[in-house]
Each structure stands twice: as C-alpha cells, then as structure tokens.
Amino acid sequence: MEMVNKANQKEETPKFDIGDTVDVHTKILEGSKERIQVFSGVVIGRSGKGSQEMFMVRRIVAGEGVERKFPLHSPRIDKIEVKRSGVTRRAKLYFLRDRVGKAVRLKERRRV
C-alpha cells in the first residue's frame, strides 16, 4: 500500500498551513486546449494523509462565499503559491463561513 501511495505523490509540495492565503493554479481542459486558472483564497482545512491528502480553500465572489476542495498531490494542480500567512488556533476555520467583510480577515503571521 505504501508503494502505491508514494508513486502517486508529488516530490515537492509547498509548505502552507491553515489560515494562509494561497493561489492555487489548476489546469483546465477546454476542448483540446489546456489553460491555467487561479483560485485564490484562505485555506480553511486540511484532511487525509499521504496521497489522499486534501485541502479546502474559501474565497468571496460577488458577495457570496465559494469553497473548493483540492487534492494536494493531483496532477491537475500546477502550483500553489502562499501569498500571506495567518495566525490561527484551530485546525478547521469553519467559523469564517458566518463572517462578512473585514471580520473574515485573520491576523498576519510574521515569517522570519
């Protein structure tokens, strides 16, 4: 089982935590063309381990909250860029679903 999991994992995965604002570059197929679409938002949760690890990103589009779950080791994900690090004390940030406007922002973590 471990051999199958290691074969499906990416060698380099970016270090990001819950509460970080990230840009997820995903490959989109439209007919025969392939393009990259960016989904940017706050990481509100991670789950699983090994090749089944997933992370959930939330953003606000036209005043409506949109959440999307991505497999960390998916070949459809081109890259993940960490834009900002947030300070959190929880593993899941589901409480952000009830918040609006500036209340959604998290305190920024300073990286040394």
Side-chain angles (χ1 to χ4, degrees), residues 42-61:
V42 178
V43 178
I44 64 168
R46 289 179 81 154
S47 62
K49 62 180 181 178
S51 63
Q52 292 92 15
E53 190 171 356
M54 307 278 282
F55 64 100
M56 193 180 318
V57 180
R58 177 179 174 83
R59 73 175 183 181
I60 307 296
V61 178

Side-chain angles (χ1 to χ4, degrees), residues 68-95:
R68 190 164 169 198
K69 234 177 159 177
F70 296 99
L72 184 62
H73 297 284
S74 171
R76 293 254 177 245
I77 293 180
D78 189 43
K79 63 180 173 177
I80 301 169
E81 291 180 7
V82 178
K83 293 294 183 187
R84 191 171 174 262
S85 294
V87 176
T88 59
R89 296 170 66 178
R90 306 188 182 288
K92 306 283 193 273
L93 302 182
Y94 297 147
F95 66 90

Side-chain angles (χ1 to χ4, degrees), residues 1-104:
M1 193 68 175
E2 289 179 25
M3 290 171 50
V4 173
N5 282 341
K6 285 197 181 231
N8 293 328
Q9 288 183 3
K10 290 182 179 177
E11 296 83 32
E12 291 289 321
T13 56
K15 292 290 251 179
F16 63 93
D17 291 318
I18 293 147
D20 291 357
T21 303
V22 295
D23 285 351
V24 183
H25 297 255
T26 55
K27 296 175 186 173
I28 305 290
L29 281 172
E30 291 178 341
S32 61
K33 294 182 182 179
E34 187 176 280
R35 67 182 179 88
I36 292 182
Q37 183 172 352
V38 180
F39 190 92
S40 58
V42 178
V43 178
I44 64 168
R46 289 179 81 154
S47 62
K49 62 180 181 178
S51 63
Q52 292 92 15
E53 190 171 356
M54 307 278 282
F55 64 100
M56 193 180 318
V57 180
R58 177 179 174 83
R59 73 175 183 181
I60 307 296
V61 178
E64 201 66 30
V66 176
E67 292 179 4
R68 190 164 169 198
K69 234 177 159 177
F70 296 99
L72 184 62
H73 297 284
S74 171
R76 293 254 177 245
I77 293 180
D78 189 43
K79 63 180 173 177
I80 301 169
E81 291 180 7
V82 178
K83 293 294 183 187
R84 191 171 174 262
S85 294
V87 176
T88 59
R89 296 170 66 178
R90 306 188 182 288
K92 306 283 193 273
L93 302 182
Y94 297 147
F95 66 90
L96 293 179
R97 293 173 176 165
D98 302 328
R99 299 197 177 183
V100 180
K102 288 185 180 180
V104 176

